[in-house]
């Protein structure tokens, strides 16, 4: 059996080891982000033989000793759906959607939240806190409830999808709204965690979040039967691109895969500081007023930008920008042509495909990060209902029978 109890924490900037006993997310020496490394002697041979639902079947690659009981809602194990009509439209033969909207709270956040809340429990934390554009808040609220802990979420007062806020309230979180954007909310949360030790930080700077999210790579590898040529995903705070890249690197490091995918990050025009730095070759510069219809990735200062850059450059990937119109058109197409209802941010990678000029036969996986049910505001709701009181009215409204396919 492989072991995962000898894991270590290192700073990604200065390489200094960090204590594994403390709740830190950043290096005490230089302030950069921390990263977990599994023991050198981790044996990958049994990784895919693990049993149980979701991510915890891969617990030999997670930083806990065997006696730790996970806080889990059976997250992960989401479908890898092959695209047909949309794939043909963008000229790809092997396009897949990793449908992470089917996680317990409807987004990819749940894998990482399960692991980070499990960590919080081992630390004896009481109150869990995050800043969020909505999905992290919903996920944290659910896992805190599951663990019997308090959840505090800080969101921009305007622009968070009502479904996501509704989830946070339903799971019993305390929700605070701030003027301004996500970046300001996150800066506030950082400051609070620094000055008030009742709070444990649950944003994706927490390296345990990354450990959970990396499991998506294992799932994709298993479902596809190989490492895909490209992973295309939306980038906001840049945790997920870092995590999935880490997962694929570990698969190769463990001798289970001999290839790596190209990691392609997609940002929305108006909130694309990473893609802008990548395109211009200039140093990364945060954006003050991020603006896009895709509220989940309306972020101007992605904290994990360094990790994201490593993922993109080490993998020979890229960073691409799509505009709001392209995002919304693609979101509607995915629903109408594939039966896949994703939120706006999650449509961004699909919208980017025509710009990427990938070979027709490439194996491409887009991460559908969030469920469209959380935000149906742009579909018109009640206003689009056609009044019809009885069969005749419906027949008449539909028109001739051949109108129905
Ligand atoms: N897609 C969705 C649906 C998201 O909610 C997010 C991030 C991302 C993509 C980007 O992922 O930050 O790891 O690069 N949402 C965060 C939140 C910021 O608060 O829910 P990332």
């Amino acid at each position: 059996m492989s072991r995962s109890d000898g894991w270590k924490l290192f700073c990604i900037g200065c390489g200094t080891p960090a204590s594994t006993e403390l709740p830190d997310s950043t290096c005490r020496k230089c302030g950069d982000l921390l990263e977990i490394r599994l023991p050198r002697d981790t044996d990958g041979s049994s990784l895919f033989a693990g049993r149980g639902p979701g991510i915890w079947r891969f617990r030999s690659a997670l930083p806990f000793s065997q006696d730790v009981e996970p806080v889990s809602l059976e997250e992960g194990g989401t479908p890898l759906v092959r695209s047909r009509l949309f794939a043909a439209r963008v000229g790809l033969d092997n396009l897949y959607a990793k449908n992470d909207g089917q996680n317990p709270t409807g987004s990819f956040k749940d894998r990482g939240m399960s692991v980070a809340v499990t960590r919080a429990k081992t630390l004896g934390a009481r109150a869990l806190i995050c800043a969020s554009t909505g999905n992290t808040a919903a996920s944290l609220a659910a896992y805190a409830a599951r663990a019997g802990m308090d959840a505090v979420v800080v969101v921009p007062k305007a622009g968070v999808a009502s479904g996501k806020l509704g989830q946070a309230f339903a799971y019993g979180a305390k929700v605070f709204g701030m003027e301004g954007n996500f970046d300001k909310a996150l800066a506030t949360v950082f400051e609070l965690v620094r000055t008030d030790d009742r709070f444990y930080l649950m944003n994706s700077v927490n390296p345990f979040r990354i450990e959970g999210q990396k499991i998506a790579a294992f799932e994709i590898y298993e479902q596809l039967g190989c490492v895909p040529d490209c992973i295309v995903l939306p980038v906001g705070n840049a945790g997920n691109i870092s995590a999935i890249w880490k997962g694929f690197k570990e698969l190769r490091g463990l001798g289970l895969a001999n290839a790596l995918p190209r990691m392609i990050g997609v940002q929305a025009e108006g909130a694309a500081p990473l893609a802008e730095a990548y395109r211009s070759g200039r140093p990364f510069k945060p954006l003050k007023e991020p603006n896009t219809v895709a509220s989940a990735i309306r972020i101007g200062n992605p904290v994990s930008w360094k990790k994201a850059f490593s993922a993109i450059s080490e993998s020979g990937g890229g960073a691409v920008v799509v505009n709001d119109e392209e995002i919304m058109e693609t979101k509607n197409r995915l629903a109408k042509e594939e039966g896949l209802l994703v939120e706006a941010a999650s449509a961004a990678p699909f919208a980017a495909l025509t710009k990427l000029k990938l070979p027709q036969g490439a194996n491409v996986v887009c991460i559908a990060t969030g469920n469209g049910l959380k935000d149906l505001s742009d579909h018109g709701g009640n206003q689009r209902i056609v009044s019809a009181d009885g069969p005749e009215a419906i027949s008449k409204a539909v028109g001739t029978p051949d109108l129905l396919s």
Side-chain angles (χ1 to χ4, degrees):
M1 185 64 193
S2 53
R3 52 188 287 260
S4 54
D5 48 349
W7 59 276
K8 293 200 164 63
L9 263 176
F10 290 93
C11 172
I12 64 160
C14 66
T16 305
S19 163
T20 57
E21 310 290 316
L22 296 170
D24 297 0
S25 287
T26 48
C27 176
R28 292 196 172 207
K29 200 164 149 204
C30 76
D32 220 329
L33 301 184
L34 300 177
E35 181 175 82
I36 290 171
R37 296 202 199 133
L38 295 177
R40 274 178 198 280
D41 60 347
T42 299
D43 166 17
S45 60
S46 58
L47 187 67
F48 289 97
R51 280 201 297 273
I55 63 166
W56 291 93
R57 48 178 286 239
F58 298 110
R59 70 174 294 159
S60 60
L62 292 171
F64 298 100
S65 53
Q66 295 299 316
D67 57 321
V68 171
E69 200 193 320
V71 178
S72 174
L73 290 162
E74 303 196 5
E75 52 293 317
T78 57
L80 187 71
V81 183
R82 188 166 192 159
S83 165
R84 307 250 174 236
L85 285 178
F86 190 85
R89 181 181 289 283
V90 296
L92 289 171
D93 291 341
N94 303 302
L95 172 65
Y96 299 84
K98 178 67 171 161
N99 195 3
D100 270 354
Q102 290 205 20
N103 274 299
T105 76
S107 84
F108 73 95
K109 307 284 181 184
D110 293 342
R111 290 188 191 85
M113 210 52 83
S114 170
V115 170
V117 174
T118 301
R119 165 69 170 173
K121 213 175 73 176
T122 67
L123 290 171
R126 278 168 47 207
L128 310 179
I129 190 166
C130 72
S132 181
T133 55
N135 282 321
T136 304
S139 184
L140 172 58
Y143 284 85
R146 186 80 172 162
M149 294 179 191
D150 290 327
V152 175
V153 305
V154 185
V155 297
K157 228 184 212 167
V160 175
S162 60
K164 298 174 187 176
L165 280 180
Q167 285 181 287
F169 285 122
Y171 295 126
K174 288 197 176 51
V175 181
F176 294 93
M178 291 189 66
E179 296 297 341
N181 56 37
F182 169 84
D183 304 301
K184 190 172 161 204
L186 187 58
T188 304
V189 166
F190 282 164
E191 182 62 15
L192 191 58
V193 169
R194 207 174 57 73
T195 52
D196 187 338
D197 63 11
R198 289 174 303 171
F199 293 111
Y200 180 55
L201 179 64
M202 297 298 286
N203 281 97
S204 60
V205 288
N206 182 326
F208 287 82
R209 285 273 313 276
I210 302 297
E211 290 306 291
Q213 288 178 210
K214 80 183 180 187
I215 303 291
F218 302 175
E219 295 177 17
I220 291 167
Y221 174 69
E222 188 178 45
Q223 288 168 312
L224 207 56
C226 63
V227 173
D229 297 302
C230 288
I231 299 280
V232 192
L233 76 170
V235 171
N237 220 13
N240 209 29
I241 190 168
S242 320
I244 294 181
W245 176 237
K246 186 173 194 283
F248 279 109
K249 277 200 302 188
E250 284 184 7
L251 277 183
R252 196 180 62 167
L254 291 169
L256 295 169
N258 54 15
L260 290 166
R262 291 171 62 199
M263 300 297 296
I264 298 172
V266 184
Q267 294 200 295
E269 193 178 84
L274 263 167
E276 183 47 37
Y278 182 79
R279 187 195 60 78
S280 66
R282 284 199 289 271
F284 170 77
K285 203 169 121 231
L287 189 74
K288 278 222 165 59
E289 302 286 345
N291 188 21
T292 165
V293 69
S295 59
I297 51 171
R298 193 180 291 146
I299 294 176
N301 189 13
V303 277
S304 295
W305 67 269
K306 264 195 197 170
K307 287 186 179 180
F309 263 126
S310 302
I312 291 168
S313 60
E314 287 171 23
S315 74
V320 186
V321 175
V322 290
N323 66 35
D324 283 357
E325 209 184 313
E326 291 163 337
I327 289 175
M328 294 316 282
E329 191 196 314
T330 303
K331 172 172 146 51
N332 286 323
R333 276 199 197 291
L334 288 171
K336 296 208 167 77
E337 295 179 357
E338 299 279 13
L340 199 60
L341 182 58
V342 301
E343 67 167 276
S346 314
F350 296 90
L353 291 173
T354 48
K355 306 189 174 193
L356 290 172
K357 310 224 172 353
L358 300 168
Q360 187 176 340
N363 266 320
V364 180
V365 175
C366 287
I367 313 292
T369 47
N371 198 316
L373 287 173
K374 286 166 177 263
D375 186 2
L376 294 169
S377 55
D378 53 305
H379 293 282
N382 287 354
Q383 287 104 50
R384 293 186 62 186
I385 295 177
V386 178
S387 298
D389 292 321
E392 272 168 33
I394 296 175
S395 285
K396 215 165 134 201
V398 165
T400 57
D402 17 283
L403 247 184
L404 299 171
S405 51

